[in-house]
Amino acid sequence: MNNYQWYPGHMAKALKTMREDIKPVDVLIELCDARAPESTRNPNITDLSRGKIHILVLNKKDMADETGTSRWLAYYREQGVTAVAVDAKSKEDIKRVNSFIEKKISDKFSGADSRLAEAVKKAGGNLKKRTVRIMVTGIPNVGKSTFINSFAGKAGAKTGNRRGVTRGRQWIRLRSGRDLLDTPGVLYVKPLSQEAGMRIAFIGSLNDNNLNTEELALDLIKWMLLHYPGRIADRYGVDEGDVSDALKVMEDIGEKRGALKKGGITDYERTAMLILDDFRNLRLGPVTLEMPEDTEGFINEKA
Ligand code: G4P
């Protein structure tokens, strides 16, 4: 059985780097995956973002169930978390998130006790005179680079190293006049349950090299049969049966797709890869892997 609770040893080092990088930052954009928002969040964020504007972006909303995403946004609203759902490849969504951030910056500016408000006051009360620094963070594969590229746009020019910032880090001057750190902060997660780990593995945020992909694909088939009946049948033209038939379903998919070894035996490895690839490229349709009620309590452990 796959151990989905595996996590990389360099997690602590990543956190240390992040603690350094975040120091001069005013706005932290935390990306998670809209298909499994809580499982793809690093719980250290709460500490890291203290005193800063913190915006949770549910990215890849085009890959998630619309109703699922609405439920998550309502849940975060209840929890007092500022959250927005986007497709990082959509210009309209990026524009929307930009106005959202600008609104948060001006809201914070009116809050007398904030560090940012203080600094702005010192700069003569004009928000434009004080550079607001923005950083993007998230676990692997949630779309950090895509988001940074879309957010910075073509006009994004490197502004060079700044004082007080880790050497080698570059800031991109945005059209809005804000500065965006060009390197995202990469964090990892340590799932508390096999289920949470499995969801991260499905979407490709746990390194496949540490997993048995045949088992992963089999778990995915089981999950799809249970939660989205009909999708596998529609895509591959196979009979679904019930969850106990998952292996047979996988073999039928292999046969339909010609993923066979000599003698007509299923090539499980190739079949697994094609199923995972289809899932990760939306060819099995949009899915939401977890709902707020599935994640009562903490699902990822702090470093
Ligand atoms: P990372 O920096 O957090 O590791 O993630 P990255 O931007 O590299 O994105 C990982 C994959 O997710 C990429 O696909 C990227 O195109 C895709 N992606 C990012 N944001 C979105 C989104 O909002 N919606 C959809 N549908 N996909 C998104 P890839 O296949 O690995 O690369 P590519 O062939 O697209 O370049």
Side-chain angles (χ1 to χ4, degrees), residues 27-32 55-60 84-101 134-138 141-153 172 174 180-182 184:
V27 182
L28 182 66
I29 302 179
E30 178 198 358
L31 257 63
C32 68
I55 293 161
L56 175 65
V57 171
L58 278 65
N59 192 36
K60 307 198 184 185
V84 60
V86 309
D87 163 2
K89 294 182 177 184
S90 145
K91 275 194 180 134
E92 288 80 60
D93 280 10
I94 292 295
K95 252 193 194 163
R96 204 163 47 82
V97 89
N98 192 45
S99 333
F100 193 76
I101 292 166
I134 306 173
M135 179 183 186
V136 173
T137 187
N141 210 40
V142 289
K144 298 178 296 301
S145 308
T146 310
F147 184 89
I148 288 176
N149 285 338
S150 303
F151 197 61
I172 306 166
L174 302 174
L180 174 72
L181 193 60
D182 78 338

Side-chain angles (χ1 to χ4, degrees), residues 21-300:
D21 284 351
I22 206 172
K23 277 183 189 161
V25 167
D26 306 296
V27 182
L28 182 66
I29 302 179
E30 178 198 358
L31 257 63
C32 68
D33 192 305
R35 292 168 292 178
E38 273 301 294
S39 293
T40 53
R41 297 188 68 194
N42 180 301
N44 293 292
I45 283 288
T46 316
D47 296 336
L48 288 165
S49 63
R50 197 150 286 138
K52 301 179 190 299
I53 296 173
H54 174 203
I55 293 161
L56 175 65
V57 171
L58 278 65
N59 192 36
K60 307 198 184 185
K61 76 162 198 212
D62 55 310
M63 302 185 90
D65 234 326
E66 265 181 51
T67 32
T69 302
S70 306
R71 294 221 9 231
W72 276 108
L73 290 176
Y75 168 80
Y76 286 124
R77 219 172 8 249
E78 268 170 35
Q79 302 285 314
V81 176
T82 305
V84 60
V86 309
D87 163 2
K89 294 182 177 184
S90 145
K91 275 194 180 134
E92 288 80 60
D93 280 10
I94 292 295
K95 252 193 194 163
R96 204 163 47 82
V97 89
N98 192 45
S99 333
F100 193 76
I101 292 166
E102 284 301 313
K103 164 106 180 36
K104 291 288 156 195
I105 293 171
S106 55
D107 284 356
K108 177 122 183 176
F109 173 52
S110 54
D113 59 350
S114 75
R115 190 172 70 92
L116 180 57
E118 280 302 310
V120 171
K121 221 191 260 169
K122 271 191 207 147
N126 184 347
L127 205 55
K128 293 277 176 200
K129 284 188 192 164
R130 156 71 162 82
T131 312
V132 175
R133 302 191 185 98
I134 306 173
M135 179 183 186
V136 173
T137 187
I139 71 165
N141 210 40
V142 289
K144 298 178 296 301
S145 308
T146 310
F147 184 89
I148 288 176
N149 285 338
S150 303
F151 197 61
K154 285 202 187 79
K158 301 251 160 100
T159 58
N161 289 334
R162 294 282 164 87
R163 224 152 38 95
V165 176
T166 315
R167 288 239 320 267
R169 296 283 184 267
Q170 295 256 310
W171 295 87
I172 306 166
R173 178 63 48 88
L174 302 174
R175 253 184 295 236
S176 60
R178 316 298 180 203
D179 278 1
L180 174 72
L181 193 60
D182 78 338
T183 332
V186 184
L187 290 171
Y188 299 89
V189 286
K190 188 178 179 186
L192 278 180
S193 70
Q194 279 281 92
E195 288 69 32
M198 192 174 74
R199 297 192 277 262
I200 311 169
F202 286 165
I203 61 177
S205 287
L206 270 194
N207 193 339
D208 282 348
N209 297 334
N210 299 301
L211 296 166
N212 176 328
T213 43
E214 292 156 38
E215 282 179 15
L216 179 62
L218 193 60
D219 283 338
L220 178 61
I221 293 173
K222 286 181 190 166
W223 194 89
M224 289 297 292
L225 296 182
L226 255 182
H227 299 276
Y228 290 89
R231 293 271 187 98
I232 296 268
D234 285 352
R235 172 73 191 161
Y236 301 108
V238 296
D239 286 335
E240 288 195 346
D242 62 32
V243 177
S244 60
D245 301 316
L247 187 61
K248 169 86 173 56
V249 171
M250 188 167 170
E251 287 164 351
D252 290 348
I253 294 171
E255 194 183 334
K256 286 263 179 190
R257 290 300 161 105
L260 299 171
K261 286 186 175 172
K262 257 193 207 143
I265 303 160
T266 309
D267 186 333
Y268 290 100
E269 205 181 316
R270 262 174 66 206
T271 309
M273 282 325 291
L274 84 84
I275 295 166
L276 290 170
D277 195 58
D278 280 350
F279 176 78
R280 291 169 182 173
N281 285 289
L282 209 48
R283 290 189 285 266
L284 294 179
V287 302
T288 296
L289 294 161
E290 65 193 18
M291 288 295 181
E293 62 270 21
D294 298 328
T295 59
E296 280 306 309
F298 294 103
I299 59 173
N300 289 316

